[in-house]
Amino acid sequence: MSTLVPAFAAVFEQTSEHTGEVTGLGFPLLPVMVLCPLLGAIVIALLPKERVDVIRLVAVLSSVAAGALGIVALAQFEPGAPGFQFVSSATWIESLDIKFILGIDGISLFLVVLTGILFPISLLASKPEHDPKGYYAWLTLLEVGCLGVFCALDLFVFFLFFEITLVPLYMLIGKWGHGRRVYAATKFFVFTMLGSAFMLVAIVSLAILAKAGDGGTISFDLQKVIASQANLGTVTSRLIFVGMAVAFMVKTPVFPFHTWLPDAHTEAPTAGSVNLAGILLKLGTYGFLRYGLQLFPEASLYFAPTMITLGAIGIIYGGIVAAMQQNLKRLVAYSSVAHMGFCVMGLFALTIEGVEGSVLQMINHGITTGALFILLGFLYRRRHTYELAELRGIQKVAPVFAGVFTVVMLASIGVPGLNGFVGEFLVLAGTFIAHRWWAVVAAIGVIIAALYLLWAYQRAFHGEPDEANRTVPDLDWGEKLVIAPLVALIVFLGVYPKPVLDRIEPAVRRVLEHVEVSTGRELPSSRKGADLAPLVGDGHGASHPPATGLDPGAEAEHAEADR
Amino acid sequence: MSSLAVVLAQAPQTTVINLAPGAGTPAADPNAPIPTPPVLWAALLPILVLGIGGLVLLTISSLLKKGAPRGFYTLYTVMVAGLSMAAAVPLWAKVNGWTKIAWWDFRDLWWQSLPTEAGPFSTLGQAIGVDGLSVFLILLICIAVILGSLLSDDFLLREGLEGPETYALLLFSACGGVIMAMADDLIVLFLGLETLSIAVYVLAASHLKRAQSQEAGLKYFVLGGFSSAFFLYGIAMLYGATGTTNLVAMKDFLSRSIPANNALLLIGFALLLVGFAFKVAAVPFHAWSPDVYDGAPTPSVAFMASGVKAAGFAGLVRVFVVAFGQYAADWQPIVYALAVLSLVVGSVLAIVQNNVKRTLAYSSVSHVGFILIAVEAATPAGIQAVLFYLASYTFMVVGSFGVVTLVGRVGDGRHSLDDYKGLGRTNPLLAAIFTVFLLAQAGVPFTAGFVAKFYAVIAAVDAGSTVLAVIAMISATIAAFLYLRIIVAMYMTDSDGRSASPVSRAERIRIPFATGLSLLLCVLTTVGVGLLPGPLTELSAKGTPSLVREPARTATDGGLTVGTTGTEAAPGQSQQQG
C-alpha cells in the first residue's frame, strides 16, 4: 500500500484550477476514499465463501476506512472557502476530454461523510440470511458508486457512478430481499434506468451544444460546461433541463415518479433500505442542486414553481399515504417521499435559507430514516414481521428499544431540539420568502408527519403485549452500540447545527450567486445578510454581504408564478 | 473481375469521367493480351490467407486417415486467423503512416510494393480498397473467427460432430467477410457477401443431429437468396444510373453530374439497403434471425452475430456513408426508420421470449438498431461509433453465446429460461460471467457496452438526431428488462437456494479449456474496454474509410495526388503485369 499511494498520486494530478486554492494534502484523498470499498469488494470476491467472518470484517474495515477518510476530509475542510477542495483529476478518454475529476465543496462534503458513516453502521446492523459473500461484495460496491457520485466533477463520470449504483442495489433487493423482491428490484431498475436514459442524452446534448463557446472542443468537465452553458438557447436549455430532471425526479423521488420507492424499500434487506433511503435518494436532490441549478440557471428559475408544487404534493401525498399503511416499512418509505418533498421544495425556493435547509434536510433524512430502518431491522430480527397489526405493546417488553425509536421518530417528525426540525424550519422559512402559500401547505405536512408516526407508534408500542410479542427481547449491547452514533448525531445536529451550516453556506451562496449572475435576476431573499443567529447560534451572519433590498419586479413575477 | 469493373466503366454516358484512360481504347492488335490491372499481393494477403487456409484444411483432413489429433483443427483455424491478422498489420501501418512497429523497421521488406506514400490506397483496378475501415474489420472478423472456433472445439466433441467442416466454413465465411470489408466495387462486394453467406448457411445447418438446425439452414438459405437477389438488382439499378459498379467511379460521377431523373439511383439505394438490412438483421428484415439463431449450432451463432454483422456493417458504411454520402438526405430517412423499428421491435419482442437463444437473437436486433443510429449520423464520429460498437459487441455476444453453448448441454437443446434457474447456485462462475455479458449488453457503466452506446448517442446527437438518441436510450431500458429476466432466473428464482443444499454432479457444468479461454478473453475485453476505453477509441478513430483512386491515375486526374511507385505501373496502359 505504501508504494501504491505515490503511484496513485502520480496518476491523480492534484489540481487547484477549480478552486484557485491549494488543496492541502499531498495525497489523493478522494480517489483513495472512493477506491477503498472497491478494494474491499475485490478482496471479498477472492475470498472463499465459507469464511463468513473474514468477509464481514473486510467489508466493515473497507467501509470504515472510507468513512475515516471522509472524516479526515471534514477535519481538513476549509469552512469559509466556496469552491471545490481536495480536487484531483486523471484523464480517462482524451478525445472527449473526459476526466476523473473528484472534488468536494460544502454541499457534497456532508453527503460524503454521511455515506462514510451510514455504510459501516448498516453493515454492522444487519446480517444477510444467506450467501453472505455476494451480499457484502455488492454492498461495498454500492458504496463506491455513492461516494463517486458525490465527488465527481465531470458530467460523464457523474453519470457513470449515478448509473452504476443501480446494479448492486438491484442485486441486493432481488436476492436478499423479502417477499416480492424480484418485482420490486426489477421495478426499481427499470424506473431508474428510464430516467437515466433521458439524462444520458441530455448530458451528451449539453456537452455538444455548449462546446461552441469553449473553443469548439467538446468537454464534460463540469466547470467548463458551466462556463459555456450560456451558448445554449433558452428553449434548448429548458429541454435539456427536463431531460436531466426526469432522472433526478425518479431518483429523489418526486411525486409522480415515486411508485418504485415503496416497493423497493419494503422488499429490500435492512442494509439495502438504510442506504437506499439514507444515501441513494440524495443522489436525485444532489443532482438537482449541483447539475440542475448550476448548469441551467434560467431553466431552474422557469421550472421552480412547478418543482415546488410537485414538492408540496409529495409532502402532503406522502404523508397521507403513509398514514394509511399497515406495514411499518412501507410507512417509513412513504414518509421518505414526504421528506424528500421538503428537500425539493427548499431547493427550488432558490433562497439561501431554502437551499441550505434542503441540504441539511438531505443529511438529516439520511440519519433519521437510516436509523428508523435499522431499528425496523432489529424489530424484524425479533418478530419477522413489519405488519402493524401483529405488533403490540413492544414498549413494555423492550423499553430501551422503544426509547430509541421514540427519539428517532420525533426527529423524523421534526420536533425542535432534534435534527429534523432545523432542516424543515429552514426549508419552510426559505420557501415562505419566495412562495409563501406553498410554505403554508408544507407546514401542514409537518402535522401529518406527526400524525402518522405517532399513530403507528401507538399501535405498535403501546398497549398490552399479546402472546407473540411478550417474548421480544430488548436491544443487546451490540445493537445499542450500532445505533448510538446515529442517535448522538440526531441530538447534536438538533442542538448545534452551526458547524454544518457554516460549511454548507458558502457553497450554497456560490450556487445562488451563479444563478443570479447568469440570469440577471435578483432572487427573492429578504434575509440576505440578515442574521440567522436566533436559529443557529452566534455571529453566523457576520460574514454575509450587506443586505440587498427586495427586487419588487422579481417578487411580482414570483407572485405571479405562484398563482 | 476487376477487369470486369473496368470494362463496366465504359458505359455509354458521356458525362462519365473515364477513370481508366487506356482501357477504353479498343485494342488494335487482336492477339494482344487483355490488359489486366496490377495486383498488390500484400494487400490481398489477409483474404488469401483465410481462403487458402480453408482449402488447405480440407485437403489435410481428407489426407488424414485416422482423423486429426484432438484440438488440431481448432489450433489450425486460430493460427490461420492469426496469420491473416498478422498480414493486416503492415496494411494498418501503411494506412496510418507508420514506418516501424516497435523496433522493427519493415520498410525494406517485400511489401515495399505497397505505395510508399502513407495513407489508404486501392488496388486491383480499385476494386479492393485498403483503408482504416477495412483493416479494422479484418482484425475484427479474424477475432470473431478465433473466438468462434475456440467455442466450437468442445462443442463439436460434445455433440459427436468432430471434423474439419465447421472450421473450414468459418474460414471461408471470414474470407467473404474480409472481401466485403475491402470491396470498393459493388460486384466485389456482392462476391464477398455470397462467399460469406453460403458458408454461413451451411454452418447454420451443420448440426446433423438436430432437425431444427437443418430447418434453420434452409430458412436462412431461402430468405438469404431473396435478399441477395434484391441486392444484385440494386447493383444493376445503380449501374444503370451511374454507368459503373465501382464505388470510387460512382462517387466521382455523382459528384460531377446531377442526374435529371434519379429514380434509378433511389431504387438502387432502397434495394441495396434491403440486402444489407437482411444481412445485419434489421427490422423489418429480421424475421429469419430468431429462428436461425435458435436452430443453428450455438458456436456458429456466436460467429453469425459478430463476424457476419461486422461484415454487413462494413459494406453498409462504405457504400452509403462514404460513397453515397452526398445523397445522405435520401437514404438517411430509411436508415432512421430501420433504426427505430429495430430498436423498438427488437427490445419489445425480446422480453416476451422464453428461450434464451431467441431472446439474444431479438436483443441483437435491438443492438443493430443502436449501430444504425450511428450509421444514420453519416459523420466520421458516427463511423467511429459503429466500429467501436461492433468491436465491443463482438466480445459481448460471443461471450454470451459461449455461456449458452455450455448451458445447452449435450444436444444443444436446453435453452429455455427454466434451464437457467438457479445457475447462480449450481455454477456460480458461469453465472457470474454471463451476468457480466448481460449487464454489458444492457449498457451498465464500466463495461464496453456502455461506452459503445455512449459513442452511438454522441454521434446521433452531434448529427442532430436527438430524438433518435432518446428513442434508442428508451429501448435500451426496455432491453435491460430482458437481460434482467435472465439474471433473475439465474440468481433470484431459486426458492430453495436459501438453504445451501449441495449441488449435484449432474447440475455442475464443466468449463472446457478452449471455451474457457474464449470466455476469459471476452470477459477481460468487455470489462477492460469499459474501464479503459481509450485504446479502442483511438483504434476505431483510425478506422476511417476512404475511397481512393489508384495511384497512377490520380496523378493525371488532378484530384488526389498520390504518388506512384517505381514497381507500380499504371494499369490499362497496355503494359503486361505478372
Side-chain angles (χ1 to χ4, degrees):
Chain A
M1 198 64 201
S2 56
T3 53
L4 258 177
V5 170
F8 209 67
V11 175
F12 279 92
E13 180 195 345
Q14 301 288 298
T15 56
S16 52
E17 63 174 294
H18 294 277
T19 55
E21 284 169 47
V22 184
T23 49
L25 309 163
F27 159 77
L29 180 82
L30 297 180
V32 172
M33 181 182 74
V34 173
L35 288 185
C36 265
L38 182 65
L39 195 72
I42 294 171
V43 172
I44 290 171
L46 296 176
L47 285 170
K49 67 177 172 205
E50 290 77 23
R51 306 293 304 274
V52 180
D53 289 347
V54 182
I55 288 173
R56 189 173 156 89
L57 188 70
V58 170
V60 172
L61 278 184
S62 62
S63 64
V64 164
L69 288 171
I71 304 282
V72 169
L74 179 66
Q76 300 274 332
F77 193 85
E78 210 169 304
F84 292 102
Q85 303 186 25
F86 309 107
V87 178
S88 48
S89 87
T91 301
W92 196 43
I93 300 177
E94 191 128 29
S95 55
L96 295 174
D97 195 20
I98 292 173
K99 285 175 287 188
F100 267 101
I101 311 176
L102 304 181
I104 49 176
D105 65 354
I107 297 166
S108 42
L109 170 70
F110 289 100
L111 292 169
V112 166
V113 173
L114 177 70
T115 312
I117 293 175
L118 217 48
F119 263 93
I121 289 180
S122 70
L123 281 170
L124 287 168
S126 70
K127 274 188 182 149
E129 287 167 8
H130 57 98
D131 295 318
K133 180 175 162 176
Y135 180 83
Y136 288 114
W138 286 122
L139 261 176
T140 42
L141 275 181
L142 183 63
E143 187 173 6
V144 177
C146 293
L147 289 172
V149 168
F150 294 134
C151 294
L153 294 180
D154 180 290
L155 284 167
F156 183 78
V157 175
F158 166 76
F159 181 82
L160 276 180
F161 283 119
F162 188 87
E163 188 81 341
I164 197 71
T165 54
L166 275 184
V167 181
L169 203 57
Y170 169 76
M171 287 303 213
L172 283 169
I173 298 174
K175 194 156 183 208
W176 288 273
H178 307 297
R180 298 199 306 157
R181 58 187 197 282
V182 173
Y183 169 78
T186 309
K187 192 170 176 182
F188 159 75
F189 195 100
V190 172
F191 258 72
T192 338
M193 195 161 170
L194 193 64
S196 308
F198 287 99
M199 182 156 78
L200 182 67
V201 179
I203 286 179
V204 168
S205 316
L206 176 66
I208 285 175
L209 295 175
K211 74 183 173 185
D214 190 32
T217 55
I218 191 166
S219 176
F220 287 85
D221 184 333
L222 179 63
Q223 302 298 319
K224 287 188 191 164
V225 179
I226 287 177
S228 60
Q229 51 84 16
N231 295 321
L232 269 65
T234 312
V235 178
T236 320
S237 74
R238 281 177 191 169
L239 276 175
I240 297 177
F241 174 81
V242 170
M244 293 188 79
V246 169
F248 298 145
M249 277 155 85
V250 170
K251 200 84 177 181
T252 305
V254 174
F255 162 64
F257 303 106
H258 66 283
T259 61
W260 62 269
L261 180 108
D263 289 316
H265 265 329
T266 313
E267 310 305 343
T270 300
S273 305
V274 171
N275 294 315
L276 179 58
I279 295 151
L280 280 141
L281 301 190
K282 276 76 203 174
L283 264 54
T285 40
Y286 173 76
F288 268 126
L289 181 51
R290 173 78 77 231
Y291 296 89
L293 295 192
Q294 294 216 69
L295 289 173
F296 312 100
E298 195 278 335
S300 303
L301 270 179
Y302 179 79
F303 286 110
T306 319
M307 294 305 300
I308 289 189
T309 311
L310 290 177
I313 294 175
I315 294 171
I316 301 296
Y317 171 86
I320 292 174
V321 180
M324 295 295 112
Q325 296 306 313
Q326 296 302 313
N327 180 312
L328 263 177
K329 226 176 168 182
R330 243 184 140 73
L331 183 146
V332 177
Y334 275 107
S335 84
S336 286
V337 175
H339 284 132
M340 294 315 284
F342 273 105
C343 288
V344 172
M345 187 178 235
L347 215 55
F348 282 92
L350 295 170
T351 54
I352 296 275
E353 295 82 357
V355 179
E356 215 173 23
S358 171
V359 176
L360 198 59
Q361 173 77 355
M362 287 183 216
I363 298 157
N364 289 338
H365 176 254
I367 296 169
T368 41
T369 310
L372 271 180
F373 276 122
I374 288 175
L375 289 171
L376 290 182
F378 292 162
L379 187 64
Y380 188 80
R381 203 184 278 171
R382 290 163 169 74
R383 289 284 290 110
H384 288 281
T385 181
Y386 296 116
E387 292 301 322
L388 278 170
E390 293 180 36
L391 300 167
R392 265 179 79 81
I394 306 283
Q395 195 179 19
K396 286 255 162 55
V397 287
V400 178
F401 180 76
V404 174
F405 196 93
T406 312
V407 172
V408 177
M409 176 188 71
L410 292 178
S412 183
I413 293 170
V415 170
L418 299 174
N419 64 348
F421 173 73
V422 187
E424 282 180 12
F425 178 81
L426 278 173
V427 167
L428 288 175
T431 312
F432 187 81
I433 296 166
H435 303 268
R436 62 191 54 163
W437 285 107
W438 283 131
V440 174
V441 172
I444 297 171
V446 181
I447 300 168
I448 300 178
L451 175 84
Y452 61 76
L453 277 169
L454 289 175
W455 192 17
Y457 182 83
Q458 202 180 1
R459 283 190 281 170
F461 286 81
H462 286 178
E464 279 300 315
D466 56 14
E467 200 60 46
N469 291 308
R470 203 162 292 152
T471 52
V472 170
D474 208 342
L475 295 185
D476 60 31
W477 275 109
E479 289 168 336
K480 280 180 197 162
L481 275 179
V482 165
I483 200 75
L486 292 179
V487 176
L489 276 175
I490 286 173
V491 176
F492 176 77
L493 289 178
V495 176
Y496 190 59
K498 180 175 177 301
V500 176
L501 289 173
D502 273 352
R503 286 165 176 78
I504 295 174
E505 205 198 302
V508 167
R509 201 169 274 283
R510 182 162 160 270
V511 171
L512 290 180
E513 273 165 13
H514 170 75
V515 174
E516 283 193 337
V517 169
S518 38
T519 55
R521 281 169 62 180
E522 188 108 17
L523 295 172
S525 170
S526 62
R527 289 171 62 91
K528 234 187 208 177
D531 207 320
L532 288 176
L535 183 64
V536 295
D538 54 343
H540 173 65
S543 62
H544 293 193
T548 49
L550 255 180
D551 183 348
E555 202 200 22
E557 270 190 68
H558 275 285
E560 214 164 70
D562 277 357
R563 273 180 249 126
Chain B
M1 147 255 333
S2 53
S3 59
L4 172 67
V6 174
V7 173
L8 287 177
Q10 314 309 310
Q13 269 108 329
T14 48
T15 40
V16 175
I17 303 306
N18 197 340
L19 290 162
T25 49
D29 178 9
N31 294 326
I34 299 168
T36 54
V39 181
L40 287 180
W41 294 103
L44 301 183
L45 206 55
I47 301 176
L48 296 177
V49 167
L50 288 171
I52 295 175
L55 291 175
V56 169
L57 175 62
L58 287 180
T59 317
I60 294 177
S61 67
S62 59
L63 291 177
L64 288 173
K65 286 261 158 50
K66 286 188 281 185
R70 163 109 179 79
F72 169 76
Y73 295 134
T74 313
L75 198 63
Y76 177 87
T77 313
V78 169
M79 277 170 56
V80 169
L83 213 59
S84 177
M85 287 171 81
V89 168
L91 300 181
W92 181 257
K94 185 58 102 185
V95 168
N96 286 299
W98 300 348
T99 51
K100 53 170 137 187
I101 299 168
W103 70 95
W104 174 42
D105 191 331
F106 53 83
R107 271 176 298 181
D108 48 351
L109 287 174
W110 65 276
W111 52 72
Q112 184 58 34
S113 64
L114 300 182
T116 44
E117 292 288 320
F121 58 94
S122 59
T123 182
L124 266 180
Q126 54 195 25
I128 290 286
V130 178
D131 54 18
L133 179 82
S134 53
V135 184
F136 188 93
L137 283 157
I138 292 172
L139 298 177
L140 194 58
I141 292 170
C142 288
I143 288 173
V145 170
I146 292 174
L147 295 174
S149 62
L150 284 175
L151 289 185
S152 298
D153 183 49
D154 297 284
F155 175 80
L156 295 177
L157 184 73
R158 188 182 80 192
E159 305 292 324
L161 296 167
E162 300 108 309
E165 301 86 357
T166 304
Y167 301 103
L169 288 168
L170 271 178
L171 288 175
F172 289 141
S173 114
C175 177
V178 170
I179 294 176
M180 276 179 85
M182 298 179 93
D184 264 358
D185 189 297
L186 286 177
I187 297 291
V188 178
L189 187 65
F190 181 72
L191 284 178
L193 185 77
E194 284 304 283
T195 314
L196 170 97
S197 304
I198 291 172
V200 174
Y201 301 150
V202 184
L203 265 183
S206 70
H207 197 311
L208 302 174
K209 298 175 182 172
R210 274 184 94 203
Q212 260 182 307
S213 173
Q214 320 293 315
E215 183 194 327
L218 192 66
K219 203 172 255 172
Y220 197 8
F221 172 66
V222 173
L223 290 175
F226 260 119
S227 84
S228 296
F230 276 106
F231 191 82
L232 205 53
Y233 201 43
I235 296 178
M237 291 293 172
L238 287 175
Y239 177 71
T242 61
T244 173
T245 60
N246 189 292
L247 291 174
V248 186
M250 221 178 249
K251 185 177 182 178
D252 225 50
F253 173 78
L254 291 176
S255 65
R256 293 185 193 195
S257 53
I258 299 167
N261 179 359
N262 60 6
L264 272 186
L265 199 64
L266 297 185
I267 295 172
F269 287 171
L271 293 174
L272 279 194
L273 266 179
V274 170
F276 282 126
F278 180 86
K279 271 302 147 217
V280 302
V283 179
F285 308 104
H286 69 292
W288 59 275
S289 87
D291 288 349
V292 172
Y293 279 27
D294 188 16
T298 316
S300 310
V301 178
F303 179 75
M304 279 181 216
S306 54
V308 176
K309 282 205 171 137
F313 274 107
L316 189 61
V317 166
R318 191 180 290 277
V319 173
F320 282 92
V321 179
V322 184
F324 301 140
Q326 193 192 344
Y327 280 80
D330 289 317
W331 57 260
Q332 265 172 331
I334 311 180
V335 176
Y336 195 110
L338 286 175
V340 170
L341 283 173
S342 305
L343 283 164
V344 174
V345 173
S347 42
V348 169
L349 287 187
I351 56 180
V352 295
Q353 304 299 321
N354 277 322
N355 178 313
V356 171
K357 269 173 102 178
R358 291 185 84 87
T359 308
L360 288 176
Y362 279 110
S363 101
S364 103
V365 169
S366 95
H367 282 289
V368 165
F370 240 105
I371 305 178
L372 281 174
I373 74 166
V375 174
E376 198 267 345
T379 55
I383 295 171
Q384 184 194 347
V386 169
L387 293 181
F388 194 99
Y389 209 116
L390 284 174
S392 26
Y393 184 60
T394 295
F395 289 97
M396 292 187 283
V397 80
V398 171
S400 305
F401 279 111
V403 175
V404 173
T405 308
L406 291 179
V407 179
R409 316 260 169 82
V410 180
D412 199 19
R414 296 175 66 173
H415 298 307
S416 92
L417 211 49
D418 289 340
D419 293 319
Y420 286 78
K421 278 193 178 152
L423 200 69
R425 185 176 57 90
T426 54
N427 295 281
L429 182 62
L430 208 56
I433 292 174
F434 203 23
T435 307
V436 170
F437 294 131
L438 292 173
L439 291 178
Q441 291 198 52
V444 166
F446 299 114
T447 63
F450 172 75
V451 188
K453 284 195 164 68
F454 174 66
Y455 283 141
V457 166
I458 281 205
V461 172
D462 205 12
S465 316
T466 313
V467 177
L468 191 55
V470 171
I471 295 173
M473 287 312 295
I474 292 175
S475 54
T477 311
I478 302 172
F481 183 72
L482 79 96
Y483 304 117
L484 291 187
R485 277 185 79 205
I486 303 177
I487 293 175
V488 165
M490 289 195 299
Y491 288 104
M492 299 169 192
T493 52
D494 205 12
S495 54
D496 63 337
R498 309 196 154 213
S499 62
S501 61
V503 181
S504 68
R505 282 181 67 87
E507 284 175 315
R508 202 161 273 153
I509 298 168
R510 196 181 62 88
I511 303 180
F513 173 73
T515 313
L517 186 64
S518 179
L519 290 179
L520 182 71
L521 285 174
C522 292
V523 167
L524 286 182
T525 319
T526 305
V527 177
V529 171
L531 288 174
L532 296 170
L536 186 57
T537 307
E538 280 170 35
L539 213 61
S540 57
K542 284 188 180 138
T544 45
S546 44
L547 291 175
V548 185
R549 287 172 230 172
E550 245 180 315
R553 300 197 185 95
T554 52
T556 55
D557 234 30
L560 293 157
T561 49
V562 179
T564 48
T565 63
T567 55
E568 169 80 89
Q573 294 182 348
S574 67
Q575 283 182 11
Q576 294 182 27
Q577 293 288 320

